[in-house]
Amino acid sequence: MTNTTKQKLIEAGLAMLLQHGYSSLGLQALLAETGVPKGSFYHHFKDKEDFALKVIDTYIGEVHKALDHCLLDESLPPLKRIRRFFELTQQKYREDGYMGCLMGGLGQELSGTSETFRRKIEWCFSSIGERMAACLQEAQRRGDIPKNVDTDHMGHLLVDCWEGAALRSRLRRDPQSLTAMLDFYLGSIATKVGVR
């Protein structure tokens, strides 16, 4: 089987995990949706858990591409890069019809029952927090945020706040919680008007 088959399964699995969560993800439904034979599934994945972990890897890979696209764009000041990343993320949530983060949903569903998923999802969030912290450090060097701010802590706090707001947005089916959180966070941290 080709990587195209694997990718087709992962793309369909991502949509199904967003819609139904892990527990309700049926392999028969996935195979019917993709038209892929059962043997082909097991050629690429050991089992359902292995499949979901590969979907997570693909999802976080896309998140890191978006982080690169936004946070490495030196044409914008660092805090505007952070805002742009989260605005594009919010737009993606709307396009997916989910209004939330796959990691947040799976983390809530599985962190109490699967140590494998708990560790994987925590790593995903930590890696995003580290990228935010690095961008905040750049903003600090520019004087856009106070020198006494712990940028590592604030980078991870930003991810925590975003995930909480994503849950509220998903529950309300309204992006306002995401927008309000981002406005509050960046407004609170910035030392200069206009840098956020």
Side-chain angles (χ1 to χ4, degrees):
M1 290 288 110
T2 67
N3 284 339
T4 305
T5 300
K6 184 176 182 180
Q7 193 57 38
K8 182 194 283 190
L9 287 164
I10 286 173
E11 287 172 7
L14 174 58
M16 294 174 86
L17 282 170
L18 283 170
Q19 186 174 4
H20 304 294
Y22 179 79
S23 298
S24 298
L25 174 66
L27 291 184
Q28 284 306 119
L30 174 67
L31 298 176
E33 174 74 21
T34 58
V36 172
K38 191 174 191 178
S40 296
F41 175 88
Y42 287 106
H43 173 77
H44 293 290
F45 310 103
K46 288 184 282 189
D47 52 25
K48 179 179 170 180
E49 179 180 281
D50 180 51
F51 171 70
L53 290 168
K54 297 290 190 301
V55 171
I56 290 171
D57 287 340
T58 299
Y59 181 86
I60 197 65
E62 291 301 313
V63 169
H64 279 279
K65 282 182 192 172
L67 284 163
D68 287 344
H69 175 72
C70 295
L71 299 187
L72 301 178
D73 178 2
E74 295 184 357
S75 70
L76 294 174
L79 295 182
K80 288 193 177 183
R81 293 180 220 164
I82 289 172
R83 176 178 286 283
R84 183 164 181 243
F85 168 76
F86 283 111
E87 287 173 346
L88 290 175
T89 300
Q90 184 180 2
Q91 179 182 332
K92 179 80 169 113
Y93 290 171
R94 282 195 300 269
E95 290 169 5
D96 290 342
Y98 184 70
M99 289 311 304
C101 171
L102 175 66
M103 298 297 94
L106 290 178
Q108 290 168 0
E109 179 183 2
L110 299 170
S111 63
T113 59
S114 170
E115 184 63 15
T116 301
F117 280 104
R118 187 197 68 75
R119 283 194 314 267
K120 172 69 89 172
I121 293 166
E122 173 53 26
W123 175 84
C124 292
F125 286 143
S126 292
S127 69
I128 297 167
E130 289 166 7
R131 299 287 303 272
M132 291 296 141
C135 199
L136 289 171
Q137 287 164 9
E138 187 178 343
Q140 194 173 54
R141 286 191 297 273
R142 287 171 40 99
D144 295 342
I145 61 176
K147 296 232 180 275
N148 64 343
V149 167
D150 180 341
T151 53
D152 287 333
H153 172 74
M154 292 305 288
H156 291 282
L157 181 62
L158 176 55
V159 175
D160 293 347
C161 291
W162 180 262
E163 286 302 318
L167 174 61
R168 291 300 297 273
S169 288
R170 184 174 170 212
L171 292 170
R172 294 174 174 166
R173 300 192 190 287
D174 181 338
Q176 183 52 39
S177 294
L178 293 166
T179 302
M181 185 287 304
L182 194 56
D183 288 345
F184 176 79
Y185 178 94
L186 293 174
S188 298
I189 199 169
T191 57
K192 302 175 190 171
V193 174
V195 296
R196 54 194 179 110

